[in-house]
Short mmCIF file of all heavy atoms in Angstrom, two decimals:
data_model
loop_
_atom_site.label_atom_id
_atom_site.label_comp_id
_atom_site.label_asym_id
_atom_site.label_seq_id
_atom_site.Cartn_x
_atom_site.Cartn_y
_atom_site.Cartn_z
N MET A 27 -14.74 32.34 13.61
CA MET A 27 -13.78 31.34 13.98
C MET A 27 -12.48 31.61 13.25
O MET A 27 -12.28 31.18 12.14
CB MET A 27 -14.31 29.97 13.59
CG MET A 27 -14.73 29.20 14.79
SD MET A 27 -14.35 27.50 14.75
CE MET A 27 -15.68 26.67 14.13
N GLY A 28 -11.59 32.29 13.86
CA GLY A 28 -10.31 32.60 13.27
C GLY A 28 -9.33 31.47 13.46
O GLY A 28 -9.67 30.36 13.84
N SER A 29 -8.08 31.76 13.20
CA SER A 29 -7.07 30.72 13.35
C SER A 29 -6.81 30.49 14.84
O SER A 29 -7.00 31.37 15.67
CB SER A 29 -5.79 31.11 12.62
OG SER A 29 -4.93 31.83 13.45
N PHE A 30 -6.38 29.30 15.16
CA PHE A 30 -6.13 28.95 16.56
C PHE A 30 -4.78 29.50 16.99
O PHE A 30 -3.81 29.49 16.23
CB PHE A 30 -6.16 27.44 16.74
CG PHE A 30 -7.53 26.85 16.53
CD1 PHE A 30 -7.80 26.11 15.40
CD2 PHE A 30 -8.53 27.05 17.45
CE1 PHE A 30 -9.05 25.56 15.20
CE2 PHE A 30 -9.78 26.50 17.27
CZ PHE A 30 -10.05 25.76 16.13
N SER A 31 -4.70 29.92 18.24
CA SER A 31 -3.43 30.41 18.77
C SER A 31 -2.63 29.24 19.31
O SER A 31 -3.09 28.10 19.35
CB SER A 31 -3.69 31.43 19.90
OG SER A 31 -4.23 30.76 21.02
N ILE A 32 -1.43 29.49 19.73
CA ILE A 32 -0.55 28.46 20.27
C ILE A 32 -1.15 27.83 21.51
O ILE A 32 -0.98 26.63 21.76
CB ILE A 32 0.86 29.03 20.54
CG1 ILE A 32 1.87 27.91 20.89
CG2 ILE A 32 0.84 30.04 21.66
CD1 ILE A 32 2.23 27.05 19.75
N TRP A 33 -1.90 28.59 22.29
CA TRP A 33 -2.50 28.06 23.51
C TRP A 33 -3.57 27.02 23.20
O TRP A 33 -3.70 26.02 23.91
CB TRP A 33 -3.07 29.19 24.36
CG TRP A 33 -1.97 30.07 24.89
CD1 TRP A 33 -1.68 31.35 24.51
CD2 TRP A 33 -0.98 29.70 25.86
NE1 TRP A 33 -0.60 31.80 25.18
CE2 TRP A 33 -0.14 30.82 26.03
CE3 TRP A 33 -0.74 28.56 26.60
CZ2 TRP A 33 0.94 30.80 26.90
CZ3 TRP A 33 0.33 28.55 27.47
CH2 TRP A 33 1.16 29.66 27.60
N HIS A 34 -4.33 27.24 22.13
CA HIS A 34 -5.34 26.25 21.74
C HIS A 34 -4.67 24.93 21.38
O HIS A 34 -5.13 23.86 21.79
CB HIS A 34 -6.15 26.76 20.55
CG HIS A 34 -7.06 27.88 20.88
ND1 HIS A 34 -6.78 29.19 20.54
CD2 HIS A 34 -8.26 27.89 21.51
CE1 HIS A 34 -7.76 29.96 20.95
NE2 HIS A 34 -8.67 29.20 21.55
N TRP A 35 -3.58 25.00 20.63
CA TRP A 35 -2.89 23.78 20.20
C TRP A 35 -2.22 23.07 21.38
O TRP A 35 -2.21 21.84 21.43
CB TRP A 35 -1.85 24.09 19.12
CG TRP A 35 -2.51 24.47 17.82
CD1 TRP A 35 -2.44 25.67 17.20
CD2 TRP A 35 -3.35 23.64 17.00
NE1 TRP A 35 -3.19 25.66 16.05
CE2 TRP A 35 -3.75 24.42 15.90
CE3 TRP A 35 -3.80 22.34 17.11
CZ2 TRP A 35 -4.59 23.91 14.91
CZ3 TRP A 35 -4.63 21.83 16.10
CH2 TRP A 35 -5.02 22.62 15.03
N LEU A 36 -1.72 23.82 22.34
CA LEU A 36 -1.13 23.21 23.53
C LEU A 36 -2.18 22.48 24.36
O LEU A 36 -1.92 21.40 24.89
CB LEU A 36 -0.40 24.26 24.36
CG LEU A 36 0.92 24.77 23.78
CD1 LEU A 36 1.47 25.90 24.64
CD2 LEU A 36 1.92 23.63 23.68
N ILE A 37 -3.35 23.06 24.46
CA ILE A 37 -4.43 22.41 25.21
C ILE A 37 -4.88 21.14 24.50
O ILE A 37 -5.09 20.10 25.14
CB ILE A 37 -5.61 23.39 25.42
CG1 ILE A 37 -5.18 24.52 26.39
CG2 ILE A 37 -6.84 22.66 25.94
CD1 ILE A 37 -6.17 25.64 26.50
N VAL A 38 -5.00 21.19 23.18
CA VAL A 38 -5.37 20.00 22.41
C VAL A 38 -4.31 18.92 22.59
O VAL A 38 -4.63 17.75 22.79
CB VAL A 38 -5.57 20.36 20.92
CG1 VAL A 38 -5.69 19.12 20.06
CG2 VAL A 38 -6.80 21.25 20.76
N LEU A 39 -3.03 19.29 22.52
CA LEU A 39 -1.95 18.34 22.70
C LEU A 39 -1.98 17.73 24.09
O LEU A 39 -1.81 16.51 24.26
CB LEU A 39 -0.60 19.03 22.46
CG LEU A 39 0.64 18.16 22.62
CD1 LEU A 39 0.67 17.08 21.56
CD2 LEU A 39 1.88 19.02 22.56
N LEU A 40 -2.24 18.52 25.11
CA LEU A 40 -2.34 18.02 26.47
C LEU A 40 -3.48 17.01 26.61
O LEU A 40 -3.31 15.95 27.23
CB LEU A 40 -2.53 19.18 27.44
CG LEU A 40 -2.69 18.81 28.91
CD1 LEU A 40 -1.37 18.25 29.44
CD2 LEU A 40 -3.12 20.02 29.72
N ILE A 41 -4.61 17.30 26.02
CA ILE A 41 -5.76 16.38 26.09
C ILE A 41 -5.44 15.08 25.37
O ILE A 41 -5.74 13.98 25.86
CB ILE A 41 -7.02 17.05 25.52
CG1 ILE A 41 -7.46 18.19 26.45
CG2 ILE A 41 -8.14 16.04 25.32
CD1 ILE A 41 -8.56 19.06 25.89
N VAL A 42 -4.80 15.15 24.20
CA VAL A 42 -4.44 13.95 23.45
C VAL A 42 -3.47 13.09 24.24
O VAL A 42 -3.60 11.87 24.31
CB VAL A 42 -3.86 14.33 22.06
CG1 VAL A 42 -3.21 13.15 21.39
CG2 VAL A 42 -4.94 14.92 21.18
N VAL A 43 -2.47 13.72 24.88
CA VAL A 43 -1.50 12.99 25.68
C VAL A 43 -2.19 12.34 26.88
O VAL A 43 -1.89 11.20 27.25
CB VAL A 43 -0.34 13.90 26.13
CG1 VAL A 43 0.51 13.25 27.18
CG2 VAL A 43 0.51 14.28 24.93
N MET A 44 -3.14 13.04 27.49
CA MET A 44 -3.84 12.48 28.63
C MET A 44 -4.72 11.30 28.22
O MET A 44 -4.83 10.32 28.96
CB MET A 44 -4.70 13.56 29.30
CG MET A 44 -3.89 14.58 30.07
SD MET A 44 -4.85 15.96 30.71
CE MET A 44 -6.12 15.15 31.63
N VAL A 45 -5.32 11.36 27.04
CA VAL A 45 -6.21 10.28 26.60
C VAL A 45 -5.41 9.06 26.16
O VAL A 45 -5.71 7.94 26.57
CB VAL A 45 -7.13 10.77 25.45
CG1 VAL A 45 -7.87 9.62 24.81
CG2 VAL A 45 -8.10 11.80 25.98
N PHE A 46 -4.39 9.25 25.33
CA PHE A 46 -3.66 8.12 24.76
C PHE A 46 -2.42 7.72 25.54
O PHE A 46 -2.01 6.58 25.50
CB PHE A 46 -3.25 8.43 23.31
CG PHE A 46 -4.43 8.53 22.38
CD1 PHE A 46 -4.81 9.75 21.86
CD2 PHE A 46 -5.14 7.40 22.03
CE1 PHE A 46 -5.87 9.84 20.99
CE2 PHE A 46 -6.22 7.48 21.18
CZ PHE A 46 -6.58 8.71 20.65
N GLY A 47 -1.79 8.64 26.22
CA GLY A 47 -0.55 8.35 26.92
C GLY A 47 0.65 8.48 25.99
O GLY A 47 0.54 8.33 24.79
N THR A 48 1.80 8.76 26.57
CA THR A 48 2.98 9.03 25.75
C THR A 48 3.51 7.77 25.08
O THR A 48 3.98 7.82 23.95
CB THR A 48 4.09 9.66 26.60
OG1 THR A 48 4.37 8.80 27.70
CG2 THR A 48 3.68 11.03 27.11
N LYS A 49 3.44 6.62 25.77
CA LYS A 49 3.97 5.39 25.19
C LYS A 49 3.18 4.98 23.96
O LYS A 49 3.75 4.59 22.93
CB LYS A 49 3.96 4.27 26.24
CG LYS A 49 4.62 3.02 25.76
CD LYS A 49 4.71 1.99 26.86
CE LYS A 49 5.41 0.74 26.35
NZ LYS A 49 5.55 -0.26 27.39
N LYS A 50 1.86 5.06 24.03
CA LYS A 50 1.04 4.67 22.89
C LYS A 50 1.23 5.64 21.73
O LYS A 50 1.26 5.22 20.58
CB LYS A 50 -0.43 4.62 23.30
CG LYS A 50 -1.32 4.04 22.25
CD LYS A 50 -2.66 3.66 22.80
CE LYS A 50 -3.45 2.96 21.73
NZ LYS A 50 -4.59 2.28 22.27
N LEU A 51 1.41 6.93 22.02
CA LEU A 51 1.66 7.90 20.95
C LEU A 51 3.00 7.64 20.28
O LEU A 51 3.13 7.77 19.06
CB LEU A 51 1.60 9.33 21.50
CG LEU A 51 0.21 9.85 21.85
CD1 LEU A 51 0.32 11.23 22.48
CD2 LEU A 51 -0.66 9.91 20.62
N LYS A 52 4.02 7.24 21.07
CA LYS A 52 5.33 6.94 20.49
C LYS A 52 5.24 5.71 19.60
O LYS A 52 5.79 5.70 18.49
CB LYS A 52 6.35 6.72 21.61
CG LYS A 52 7.77 6.54 21.11
CD LYS A 52 8.74 6.54 22.25
CE LYS A 52 8.98 5.13 22.68
NZ LYS A 52 10.05 4.99 23.67
N ASN A 53 4.54 4.68 20.05
CA ASN A 53 4.36 3.48 19.24
C ASN A 53 3.58 3.79 17.96
O ASN A 53 3.90 3.27 16.89
CB ASN A 53 3.65 2.39 20.02
CG ASN A 53 4.50 1.83 21.13
OD1 ASN A 53 5.72 1.99 21.12
ND2 ASN A 53 3.86 1.20 22.09
N MET A 54 2.56 4.62 18.08
CA MET A 54 1.76 4.98 16.92
C MET A 54 2.60 5.75 15.90
O MET A 54 2.49 5.54 14.70
CB MET A 54 0.55 5.82 17.37
CG MET A 54 -0.58 5.79 16.40
SD MET A 54 -2.06 6.74 16.88
CE MET A 54 -1.99 6.93 18.61
N GLY A 55 3.47 6.62 16.39
CA GLY A 55 4.34 7.38 15.50
C GLY A 55 5.34 6.50 14.77
O GLY A 55 5.57 6.66 13.57
N SER A 56 5.92 5.54 15.48
CA SER A 56 6.88 4.65 14.83
C SER A 56 6.18 3.72 13.84
O SER A 56 6.72 3.40 12.78
CB SER A 56 7.66 3.85 15.86
OG SER A 56 6.80 2.99 16.58
N ASP A 57 4.96 3.28 14.16
CA ASP A 57 4.20 2.45 13.23
C ASP A 57 3.85 3.22 11.96
O ASP A 57 3.93 2.70 10.85
CB ASP A 57 2.92 1.94 13.88
CG ASP A 57 3.17 0.91 14.96
OD1 ASP A 57 4.29 0.36 15.00
OD2 ASP A 57 2.26 0.67 15.77
N LEU A 58 3.47 4.47 12.13
CA LEU A 58 3.14 5.31 10.98
C LEU A 58 4.37 5.54 10.12
O LEU A 58 4.31 5.47 8.90
CB LEU A 58 2.55 6.64 11.44
CG LEU A 58 2.13 7.61 10.34
CD1 LEU A 58 1.01 7.00 9.51
CD2 LEU A 58 1.69 8.92 10.95
N GLY A 59 5.51 5.79 10.76
CA GLY A 59 6.76 5.98 10.02
C GLY A 59 7.16 4.73 9.26
O GLY A 59 7.61 4.80 8.11
N GLY A 60 7.00 3.57 9.87
CA GLY A 60 7.30 2.31 9.19
C GLY A 60 6.37 2.05 8.02
O GLY A 60 6.80 1.54 6.98
N ALA A 61 5.12 2.42 8.17
CA ALA A 61 4.16 2.24 7.09
C ALA A 61 4.50 3.15 5.91
O ALA A 61 4.43 2.73 4.75
CB ALA A 61 2.74 2.53 7.58
N VAL A 62 4.89 4.38 6.18
CA VAL A 62 5.26 5.31 5.12
C VAL A 62 6.51 4.81 4.40
O VAL A 62 6.61 4.84 3.18
CB VAL A 62 5.46 6.73 5.68
CG1 VAL A 62 6.09 7.65 4.65
CG2 VAL A 62 4.13 7.30 6.14
N LYS A 63 7.48 4.32 5.17
CA LYS A 63 8.72 3.79 4.57
C LYS A 63 8.42 2.58 3.71
O LYS A 63 8.94 2.44 2.60
CB LYS A 63 9.72 3.43 5.66
CG LYS A 63 11.05 2.98 5.12
CD LYS A 63 12.02 2.69 6.22
CE LYS A 63 13.35 2.22 5.64
NZ LYS A 63 14.31 1.87 6.66
N GLY A 64 7.57 1.68 4.19
CA GLY A 64 7.19 0.51 3.41
C GLY A 64 6.45 0.90 2.13
O GLY A 64 6.65 0.29 1.08
N PHE A 65 5.61 1.91 2.22
CA PHE A 65 4.88 2.38 1.03
C PHE A 65 5.84 2.94 0.00
O PHE A 65 5.73 2.65 -1.19
CB PHE A 65 3.85 3.44 1.45
CG PHE A 65 3.09 4.01 0.29
CD1 PHE A 65 2.09 3.28 -0.31
CD2 PHE A 65 3.37 5.27 -0.18
CE1 PHE A 65 1.38 3.80 -1.37
CE2 PHE A 65 2.68 5.81 -1.24
CZ PHE A 65 1.67 5.07 -1.84
N LYS A 66 6.82 3.74 0.46
CA LYS A 66 7.81 4.30 -0.47
C LYS A 66 8.63 3.21 -1.13
O LYS A 66 8.89 3.25 -2.33
CB LYS A 66 8.73 5.28 0.26
CG LYS A 66 8.08 6.60 0.59
CD LYS A 66 9.07 7.53 1.25
CE LYS A 66 8.44 8.86 1.60
NZ LYS A 66 9.39 9.75 2.26
N ASP A 67 9.05 2.20 -0.35
CA ASP A 67 9.82 1.09 -0.91
C ASP A 67 8.98 0.32 -1.92
O ASP A 67 9.48 -0.10 -2.96
CB ASP A 67 10.31 0.15 0.19
CG ASP A 67 11.38 0.79 1.06
OD1 ASP A 67 11.99 1.79 0.62
OD2 ASP A 67 11.61 0.26 2.18
N GLY A 68 7.72 0.14 -1.62
CA GLY A 68 6.82 -0.56 -2.54
C GLY A 68 6.63 0.21 -3.83
O GLY A 68 6.55 -0.38 -4.91
N MET A 69 6.55 1.52 -3.73
CA MET A 69 6.40 2.33 -4.93
C MET A 69 7.66 2.26 -5.78
O MET A 69 7.58 2.24 -7.01
CB MET A 69 6.08 3.78 -4.57
CG MET A 69 4.70 3.95 -3.96
SD MET A 69 3.37 3.44 -5.04
CE MET A 69 3.45 4.71 -6.28
N LYS A 70 8.84 2.23 -5.15
CA LYS A 70 10.10 2.11 -5.90
C LYS A 70 10.14 0.76 -6.62
O LYS A 70 10.49 0.68 -7.78
CB LYS A 70 11.30 2.22 -4.97
CG LYS A 70 11.61 3.62 -4.53
CD LYS A 70 12.84 3.62 -3.65
CE LYS A 70 13.07 4.96 -3.02
NZ LYS A 70 14.21 4.93 -2.08
N ASP A 71 9.80 -0.32 -5.92
CA ASP A 71 9.82 -1.65 -6.51
C ASP A 71 8.78 -1.77 -7.61
O ASP A 71 9.03 -2.38 -8.64
CB ASP A 71 9.56 -2.72 -5.44
CG ASP A 71 10.69 -2.82 -4.44
OD1 ASP A 71 11.79 -2.31 -4.73
OD2 ASP A 71 10.47 -3.41 -3.36
N GLY A 72 7.64 -1.19 -7.40
CA GLY A 72 6.58 -1.26 -8.40
C GLY A 72 6.93 -0.52 -9.68
O GLY A 72 6.64 -0.97 -10.77
N SER A 73 7.58 0.63 -9.56
CA SER A 73 7.94 1.38 -10.76
C SER A 73 9.09 0.70 -11.50
O SER A 73 9.20 0.80 -12.70
CB SER A 73 8.31 2.81 -10.40
OG SER A 73 9.47 2.84 -9.59
N ALA A 74 9.95 -0.03 -10.80
CA ALA A 74 11.06 -0.73 -11.46
C ALA A 74 10.54 -1.97 -12.17
O ALA A 74 11.06 -2.36 -13.22
CB ALA A 74 12.12 -1.12 -10.43
N ASP A 75 9.50 -2.63 -11.64
CA ASP A 75 8.96 -3.84 -12.24
C ASP A 75 7.95 -3.55 -13.35
O ASP A 75 7.66 -4.43 -14.14
CB ASP A 75 8.28 -4.70 -11.19
CG ASP A 75 9.28 -5.27 -10.19
OD1 ASP A 75 10.47 -5.30 -10.52
OD2 ASP A 75 8.84 -5.68 -9.09
N ALA A 76 7.41 -2.36 -13.41
CA ALA A 76 6.33 -2.06 -14.35
C ALA A 76 6.73 -2.27 -15.81
O ALA A 76 5.98 -2.89 -16.56
CB ALA A 76 5.82 -0.65 -14.12
N PRO A 77 7.86 -1.80 -16.32
CA PRO A 77 8.18 -2.00 -17.74
C PRO A 77 8.36 -3.47 -18.09
O PRO A 77 7.94 -3.90 -19.15
CB PRO A 77 9.48 -1.23 -17.95
CG PRO A 77 9.52 -0.23 -16.86
CD PRO A 77 8.81 -0.88 -15.71
N SER A 78 8.97 -4.25 -17.25
CA SER A 78 9.19 -5.67 -17.56
C SER A 78 7.89 -6.45 -17.50
O SER A 78 7.75 -7.47 -18.16
CB SER A 78 10.23 -6.27 -16.61
OG SER A 78 9.72 -6.29 -15.30
N ALA A 79 6.92 -6.00 -16.73
CA ALA A 79 5.66 -6.72 -16.62
C ALA A 79 4.80 -6.50 -17.87
O ALA A 79 4.01 -7.37 -18.23
CB ALA A 79 4.90 -6.27 -15.38
N THR A 80 4.95 -5.38 -18.56
CA THR A 80 4.11 -5.11 -19.72
C THR A 80 4.63 -5.81 -20.96
O THR A 80 3.85 -6.17 -21.82
CB THR A 80 4.03 -3.60 -19.99
OG1 THR A 80 5.35 -3.09 -20.14
CG2 THR A 80 3.33 -2.89 -18.85
N THR A 81 5.94 -6.02 -21.09
CA THR A 81 6.49 -6.70 -22.25
C THR A 81 7.04 -8.06 -21.82
O THR A 81 7.98 -8.13 -21.04
CB THR A 81 7.62 -5.87 -22.89
OG1 THR A 81 8.59 -5.56 -21.90
CG2 THR A 81 7.08 -4.59 -23.50
N PRO A 82 6.46 -9.15 -22.31
CA PRO A 82 6.94 -10.47 -21.90
C PRO A 82 8.30 -10.78 -22.52
O PRO A 82 8.65 -10.28 -23.58
CB PRO A 82 5.87 -11.42 -22.43
CG PRO A 82 5.20 -10.67 -23.53
CD PRO A 82 5.32 -9.22 -23.19
N ALA A 83 9.04 -11.62 -21.85
CA ALA A 83 10.34 -12.05 -22.35
C ALA A 83 10.15 -12.95 -23.56
O ALA A 83 9.11 -13.58 -23.71
CB ALA A 83 11.09 -12.80 -21.25
N PRO A 84 11.13 -13.03 -24.46
CA PRO A 84 10.99 -13.87 -25.65
C PRO A 84 10.73 -15.34 -25.32
O PRO A 84 10.00 -16.01 -26.05
CB PRO A 84 12.33 -13.70 -26.37
CG PRO A 84 12.86 -12.40 -25.89
CD PRO A 84 12.35 -12.23 -24.50
N SER A 85 11.31 -15.84 -24.25
CA SER A 85 11.07 -17.24 -23.90
C SER A 85 9.62 -17.46 -23.46
O SER A 85 9.04 -18.51 -23.70
CB SER A 85 12.02 -17.68 -22.79
OG SER A 85 11.76 -16.94 -21.62
N GLN A 86 9.01 -16.44 -22.85
CA GLN A 86 7.62 -16.56 -22.46
C GLN A 86 6.71 -16.59 -23.68
O GLN A 86 5.72 -17.30 -23.71
CB GLN A 86 7.22 -15.42 -21.54
CG GLN A 86 7.84 -15.48 -20.17
CD GLN A 86 7.47 -14.27 -19.33
OE1 GLN A 86 7.00 -13.26 -19.84
NE2 GLN A 86 7.69 -14.37 -18.03
N VAL A 87 7.06 -15.84 -24.72
CA VAL A 87 6.25 -15.82 -25.93
C VAL A 87 6.32 -17.18 -26.61
O VAL A 87 5.32 -17.72 -27.08
CB VAL A 87 6.72 -14.69 -26.88
CG1 VAL A 87 6.01 -14.77 -28.21
CG2 VAL A 87 6.49 -13.34 -26.23
N ALA A 88 7.51 -17.76 -26.69
CA ALA A 88 7.67 -19.07 -27.32
C ALA A 88 6.92 -20.14 -26.55
O ALA A 88 6.28 -21.01 -27.14
CB ALA A 88 9.15 -19.43 -27.42
N ASN A 89 6.95 -20.09 -25.24
CA ASN A 89 6.26 -21.07 -24.42
C ASN A 89 4.75 -20.94 -24.54
O ASN A 89 4.04 -21.93 -24.52
CB ASN A 89 6.68 -20.96 -22.96
CG ASN A 89 8.10 -21.43 -22.73
OD1 ASN A 89 8.65 -22.15 -23.54
ND2 ASN A 89 8.69 -21.00 -21.63
N SER A 90 4.26 -19.73 -24.66
CA SER A 90 2.82 -19.56 -24.75
C SER A 90 2.28 -20.06 -26.08
O SER A 90 1.18 -20.59 -26.14
CB SER A 90 2.44 -18.10 -24.52
OG SER A 90 2.90 -17.31 -25.60
N THR A 91 3.04 -19.93 -27.18
CA THR A 91 2.56 -20.44 -28.47
C THR A 91 2.58 -21.95 -28.48
O THR A 91 1.71 -22.58 -29.06
CB THR A 91 3.41 -19.88 -29.63
OG1 THR A 91 4.78 -20.21 -29.39
CG2 THR A 91 3.25 -18.39 -29.77
N ALA A 92 3.55 -22.57 -27.81
CA ALA A 92 3.58 -24.02 -27.73
C ALA A 92 2.43 -24.53 -26.87
O ALA A 92 1.85 -25.57 -27.16
CB ALA A 92 4.91 -24.48 -27.15
N ALA A 93 2.09 -23.81 -25.84
CA ALA A 93 0.99 -24.22 -24.97
C ALA A 93 -0.35 -24.08 -25.69
O ALA A 93 -1.27 -24.86 -25.45
CB ALA A 93 0.99 -23.40 -23.70
N ASP A 94 -0.48 -23.11 -26.59
CA ASP A 94 -1.72 -22.93 -27.32
C ASP A 94 -2.02 -24.12 -28.24
O ASP A 94 -3.17 -24.45 -28.48
CB ASP A 94 -1.68 -21.64 -28.14
CG ASP A 94 -1.74 -20.42 -27.25
OD1 ASP A 94 -2.21 -20.56 -26.09
OD2 ASP A 94 -1.33 -19.33 -27.70
N LYS A 95 -1.01 -24.76 -28.78
CA LYS A 95 -1.21 -25.89 -29.69
C LYS A 95 -1.75 -27.11 -28.97
O LYS A 95 -2.49 -27.90 -29.54
CB LYS A 95 0.10 -26.22 -30.39
CG LYS A 95 0.56 -25.14 -31.33
CD LYS A 95 1.89 -25.51 -31.95
CE LYS A 95 2.41 -24.36 -32.81
NZ LYS A 95 3.73 -24.64 -33.35
N THR A 96 -1.39 -27.28 -27.71
CA THR A 96 -1.83 -28.47 -26.98
C THR A 96 -3.03 -28.22 -26.10
O THR A 96 -3.51 -29.13 -25.45
CB THR A 96 -0.67 -28.98 -26.10
OG1 THR A 96 -0.30 -27.95 -25.19
CG2 THR A 96 0.52 -29.37 -26.94
N THR A 97 -3.55 -27.02 -26.08
CA THR A 97 -4.68 -26.69 -25.23
C THR A 97 -5.96 -27.26 -25.81
O THR A 97 -6.22 -27.16 -27.01
CB THR A 97 -4.82 -25.16 -25.08
OG1 THR A 97 -3.60 -24.64 -24.60
CG2 THR A 97 -5.94 -24.80 -24.14
N ILE A 98 -6.77 -27.87 -24.97
CA ILE A 98 -8.04 -28.44 -25.41
C ILE A 98 -9.16 -27.57 -24.88
O ILE A 98 -9.18 -27.20 -23.71
CB ILE A 98 -8.20 -29.88 -24.86
CG1 ILE A 98 -7.08 -30.75 -25.40
CG2 ILE A 98 -9.56 -30.43 -25.22
CD1 ILE A 98 -7.06 -32.13 -24.78
N ASP A 99 -10.08 -27.24 -25.75
CA ASP A 99 -11.21 -26.41 -25.36
C ASP A 99 -12.24 -27.29 -24.65
O ASP A 99 -12.83 -28.18 -25.26
CB ASP A 99 -11.81 -25.74 -26.59
CG ASP A 99 -12.86 -24.72 -26.22
OD1 ASP A 99 -12.96 -24.39 -25.00
OD2 ASP A 99 -13.56 -24.23 -27.12
N VAL A 100 -12.46 -27.04 -23.38
CA VAL A 100 -13.37 -27.85 -22.58
C VAL A 100 -14.81 -27.64 -23.04
O VAL A 100 -15.60 -28.59 -23.10
CB VAL A 100 -13.21 -27.51 -21.08
CG1 VAL A 100 -14.20 -28.27 -20.25
CG2 VAL A 100 -11.80 -27.78 -20.64
N GLU A 101 -15.17 -26.44 -23.40
CA GLU A 101 -16.53 -26.16 -23.86
C GLU A 101 -16.85 -26.93 -25.13
O GLU A 101 -17.95 -27.40 -25.33
CB GLU A 101 -16.71 -24.65 -24.06
CG GLU A 101 -16.65 -23.84 -22.80
CD GLU A 101 -17.81 -24.13 -21.87
OE1 GLU A 101 -18.93 -24.36 -22.36
OE2 GLU A 101 -17.61 -24.13 -20.65
N ALA A 102 -15.87 -27.05 -26.02
CA ALA A 102 -16.11 -27.77 -27.27
C ALA A 102 -16.38 -29.24 -27.01
O ALA A 102 -17.17 -29.86 -27.72
CB ALA A 102 -14.92 -27.60 -28.22
N LYS A 103 -15.73 -29.83 -26.03
CA LYS A 103 -15.95 -31.23 -25.71
C LYS A 103 -17.38 -31.48 -25.21
O LYS A 103 -18.02 -32.45 -25.55
CB LYS A 103 -14.97 -31.69 -24.62
CG LYS A 103 -13.63 -32.10 -25.13
CD LYS A 103 -12.83 -32.60 -23.96
CE LYS A 103 -12.00 -33.78 -24.34
NZ LYS A 103 -11.20 -34.28 -23.24
N HIS A 104 -17.89 -30.57 -24.42
CA HIS A 104 -19.21 -30.76 -23.85
C HIS A 104 -20.30 -30.56 -24.88
O HIS A 104 -21.36 -31.17 -24.79
CB HIS A 104 -19.42 -29.79 -22.68
CG HIS A 104 -18.59 -30.14 -21.47
ND1 HIS A 104 -18.81 -31.27 -20.73
CD2 HIS A 104 -17.52 -29.51 -20.90
CE1 HIS A 104 -17.92 -31.34 -19.75
NE2 HIS A 104 -17.13 -30.27 -19.83
N LYS A 105 -20.09 -29.71 -25.85
CA LYS A 105 -21.13 -29.42 -26.84
C LYS A 105 -21.28 -30.55 -27.85
O LYS A 105 -22.35 -30.77 -28.38
CB LYS A 105 -20.80 -28.12 -27.57
CG LYS A 105 -20.97 -26.90 -26.70
CD LYS A 105 -20.66 -25.64 -27.47
CE LYS A 105 -20.79 -24.43 -26.58
NZ LYS A 105 -20.43 -23.20 -27.27
N SER A 106 -20.24 -31.29 -28.16
CA SER A 106 -20.34 -32.30 -29.22
C SER A 106 -20.68 -33.67 -28.73
O SER A 106 -21.11 -34.03 -27.77
CB SER A 106 -19.02 -32.42 -29.96
OG SER A 106 -17.98 -32.71 -29.06
#
C-alpha cells in the first residue's frame, strides 16, 4: 500500500461531495473555522487572566480575613 495518487484523492473528494453535498460541506467548513477562531480567542483571554487569578488583589485578602472572624463552624455546633 503505497502513497495515494491524485486520482485516488479526486475520487474520494467526489464521493464525499456526493454524500454530503456542497452546501453542507461549506457550512461545516465555516463552523469549523468559527470554532478554531473561538478557541484561539479563548486561549488568548485565558493566558491574560491566568496571572491575576493566581494572586488575589489586596482588597480580596483583607475581605477574606474579616470574613474568617465572623464565620461559624456548623460542624462544631452540631457536636456540642
Side-chain angles (χ1 to χ4, degrees):
M27 253 219 267
S29 90
F30 293 108
S31 69
I32 189 71
W33 293 109
H34 290 104
W35 290 115
L36 288 174
I37 292 171
V38 169
L39 180 66
L40 178 68
I41 292 171
V42 168
V43 168
M44 287 174 54
V45 170
F46 292 110
T48 56
K49 186 174 181 178
K50 189 164 185 165
L51 287 176
K52 186 171 93 172
N53 291 342
M54 202 179 339
S56 64
D57 291 343
L58 181 64
V62 169
K63 184 177 179 182
F65 178 76
K66 286 182 180 179
D67 290 342
M69 292 300 290
K70 284 182 188 176
D71 292 344
S73 64
D75 292 341
S78 65
T80 56
T81 54
S85 64
Q86 290 177 344
V87 173
N89 290 340
S90 68
T91 56
D94 289 339
K95 293 178 185 176
T96 60
T97 305
I98 299 173
D99 188 11
V100 177
E101 293 293 324
K103 276 183 142 179
H104 290 292
K105 289 181 182 177
S106 57

